[in-house]
């Protein structure tokens, strides 16, 4: 979340908001940051017993809220991917401290059911002062699933990543470091590996892609989350594509990100469900062509044939056709990448987002 947090806090600071980010000690603060960062949540990760880390988490929340009272900061802005006991505790305590609460709903319905407590979700969201949705599909689901009043929901997009991008290395240098042939056609699947992200669809499509593009390579980089990568390894073996798949199944540190994007000709996101994707914005911020499924959360950003390519969600034949289109015509692919880059520069600027957020805060402060 560092990239997102720094983008939003920087946009808020540019809009004249005196903002403090409360995080853990692993958050590295860039030089020249125009807002305060406090490591209230120190020690919540690591090898300590879960109960001890949980107590540190609760301590961090109390510290952050007490600071907000002491410094007369009336608004707390939480970012939620699901609502469980800890999230509900944070919200309830903020209200107890007399704070106004804004919630950004990153995932309206958690993709891992065990993390979500529906009754708590409804309780928290319905009592928030305002709720931010990143796009119109999230807004609609907040109304339909949670029963929120539409007037209390603001649509403010997820910003681009231009503020944190490290320079891309040369393509040849990146591919050599990753063990990829210089002339290969590289399809990148990047980020946390979850069942809903459709990596299996991409593996099912690869044999057909390789028939026409024998020099194609699928580069998979990311760490499994609540899933077992052996399922995907079995698919590779079944389709005899192990040699055409390069797998880096681990957390990819920020310093290594440019290498993966530099090596890629195309970034594929064959997701089955998504509300908003940081990976697609990252790829477009790097000026890379993207291929996405036709989910509303994707098609609000990517227009087929204009700023990227779009296939029918869950349809392997459609995915094969779009992969073939991308790999066959590098000129058209690059033109889409350029248009995509300009779109995220103009439509997903953090300064604009910061001003929209400031206006939202002003409604409740």
């Amino acid at each position: 979340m560092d990239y997102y947090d720094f983008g939003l806090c920087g946009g808020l600071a540019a809009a004249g908001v005196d903002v403090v980010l409360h995080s853990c000690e692993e958050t590295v603060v860039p030089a020249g940051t125009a807002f305060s960062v406090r490591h209230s949540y120190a020690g919540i990760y690591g090898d300590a017993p879960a109960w001890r880390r949980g107590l540190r988490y609760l301590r961090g929340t109390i510290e952050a809220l007490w600071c907000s009272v002491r410094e007369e900061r009336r608004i707390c802005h939480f970012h939620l991917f699901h609502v469980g006991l800890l999230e509900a505790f944070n919200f309830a305590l903020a209200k107890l401290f007399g704070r106004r609460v804004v919630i950004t709903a990153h995932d309206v319905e958690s993709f891992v059911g065990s993390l979500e407590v529906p009754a708590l979700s409804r309780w928290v969201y319905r009592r928030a002062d305002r709720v931010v949705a990143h796009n119109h599909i999230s807004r609609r689901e907040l109304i339909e699933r949670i029963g929120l009043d539409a007037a209390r929901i603001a649509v403010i997009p997820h910003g681009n990543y231009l503020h944190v991008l490290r320079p891309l290395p040369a393509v040849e240098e990146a591919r050599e470091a990753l063990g990829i042939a210089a002339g290969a056609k590289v399809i990148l699947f990047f980020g946390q590996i979850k069942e809903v992200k459709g990596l299996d669809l991409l593996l099912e499509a690869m044999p057909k892609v390789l028939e026409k593009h024998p020099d194609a390579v699928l580069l998979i980089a990311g760490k499994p989350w609540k899933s077992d990568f052996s399922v995907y390894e079995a698919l590779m073996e079944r389709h005899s594509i192990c040699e055409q798949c390069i797998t880096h199944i681990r957390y990819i540190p920020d310093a290594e990100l440019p290498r993966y994007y530099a090596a890629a000709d195309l970034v594929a996101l064959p997701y089955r469900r998504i509300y908003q994707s940081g990976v697609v914005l990252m790829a477009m911020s790097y000026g890379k062509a993207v291929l996405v499924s036709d989910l509303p959360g994707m098609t609000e950003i990517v227009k087929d044939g204009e700023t990227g390519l779009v296939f029918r969600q869950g349809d392997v034949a459609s995915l094969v056709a779009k992969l073939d289109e991308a790999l066959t015509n590098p000129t058209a692919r690059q033109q889409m990448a350029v248009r995509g880059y300009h779109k995220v520069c103009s439509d997903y600027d953090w300064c604009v987002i910061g001003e929209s957020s400031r206006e939202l805060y002003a409604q409740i402060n």
Side-chain angles (χ1 to χ4, degrees):
M1 287 291 293
D2 286 358
Y3 287 169
Y4 182 100
D5 292 339
F6 291 156
L8 177 57
C9 290
L12 286 167
V17 178
D18 183 9
V19 60
V20 174
L21 171 64
H22 291 271
S23 186
C24 68
E25 78 280 10
E26 294 184 17
T27 299
V28 178
V29 185
T33 298
F35 54 90
S36 299
V37 179
R38 296 175 188 167
H39 297 141
S40 304
Y41 291 90
I44 64 170
Y45 298 112
D47 298 328
W51 66 266
R52 183 173 296 167
R53 290 185 285 114
L55 288 176
R56 291 169 181 167
Y57 181 94
L58 299 179
R59 179 197 63 195
T61 296
I62 293 169
E63 178 184 322
L65 290 172
W66 176 242
C67 286
S68 74
V69 172
R70 189 176 64 244
E71 297 167 5
E72 299 183 346
R73 302 176 188 277
R74 297 195 62 206
I75 295 174
C76 292
H77 192 152
F78 292 115
H79 295 261
L80 301 184
F81 291 84
H82 64 272
V83 178
L85 290 175
L86 286 177
E87 291 74 23
F89 172 84
N90 279 1
F91 174 82
L93 199 60
K95 282 295 189 179
L96 187 64
F97 274 70
R99 305 301 88 187
R100 304 285 190 178
V101 176
V102 174
I103 296 174
T104 292
H106 288 265
D107 291 337
V108 179
E109 181 183 21
S110 174
F111 297 142
V112 179
S114 62
L115 296 178
E116 189 75 19
V117 182
L120 282 179
S121 292
R122 290 190 292 271
W123 184 82
V124 167
Y125 279 114
R126 288 175 183 177
R127 286 163 177 77
D129 293 279
R130 289 293 188 276
V131 176
V132 175
H134 281 143
N135 50 40
H136 291 283
I137 181 63
S138 294
R139 177 182 180 274
R140 188 179 73 195
E141 294 217 2
L142 284 166
I143 295 169
E144 294 176 355
R145 289 180 178 273
I146 308 294
L148 279 186
D149 180 354
R152 294 174 53 239
I153 305 171
V155 177
I156 301 176
H158 186 311
N160 61 44
Y161 288 94
L162 298 175
H163 62 296
V164 291
L165 293 187
R166 300 165 187 251
L168 290 179
V171 175
E172 297 78 9
E173 176 188 336
R175 292 187 174 184
E176 182 180 359
L178 296 171
I180 302 173
K185 298 173 181 176
V186 180
I187 304 162
L188 174 63
F189 179 95
F190 189 90
Q192 282 189 331
I193 300 170
K194 304 178 182 180
E195 184 179 349
V196 295
K197 290 192 174 182
L199 176 56
D200 58 313
L201 298 173
L202 202 49
L203 294 171
E204 295 282 0
M206 280 302 292
K208 286 291 185 183
V209 172
L210 289 165
E211 288 178 10
K212 191 167 182 180
H213 304 277
D215 53 351
V217 170
L218 176 58
L219 174 59
I220 304 168
K223 185 177 180 179
W225 189 75
K226 307 293 184 181
S227 64
D228 188 344
F229 193 74
S230 64
V231 174
Y232 304 107
E233 291 175 325
L235 275 175
M236 294 177 208
E237 292 176 3
R238 184 192 311 165
H239 293 301
S240 302
I241 58 172
C242 294
E243 292 186 4
Q244 289 78 30
C245 296
I246 297 175
T247 58
H248 292 199
I249 311 307
R250 58 183 175 85
Y251 169 72
I252 308 299
D254 292 347
E256 296 182 28
L257 287 178
R259 181 184 301 164
Y260 289 89
Y261 284 98
D265 292 302
L266 177 72
V267 180
L269 302 95
Y271 297 176
R272 289 186 173 89
R273 289 175 59 204
I274 199 72
Y275 291 102
Q276 178 70 286
S277 170
V279 174
V280 74
L281 289 168
M282 175 72 77
M284 294 170 77
S285 296
Y286 267 124
K288 290 294 175 176
V290 295
L291 168 59
V292 304
S293 48
D294 60 353
L295 300 172
M298 291 293 199
T299 56
E300 283 192 22
I301 303 173
V302 181
K303 305 301 179 186
D304 189 39
E306 181 180 337
T307 54
L309 292 170
V310 181
F311 79 100
R312 290 188 298 275
Q313 187 274 124
D315 188 331
V316 173
S318 175
L319 177 56
V320 169
K322 290 297 182 178
L323 286 167
D324 176 43
E325 181 181 342
L327 299 180
T328 298
N329 194 335
T331 300
R333 186 178 69 229
Q334 182 57 29
Q335 290 171 345
M336 286 185 284
V338 170
R339 288 192 291 267
Y341 172 78
H342 288 305
K343 181 176 179 64
V344 297
C345 287
S346 60
D347 295 1
Y348 298 89
D349 183 280
W350 281 114
C351 287
V352 176
I353 291 166
E355 177 59 28
S356 297
S357 300
R358 185 199 64 77
E359 292 172 359
L360 179 67
Y361 295 165
Q363 296 173 14
I364 61 173
N365 194 10

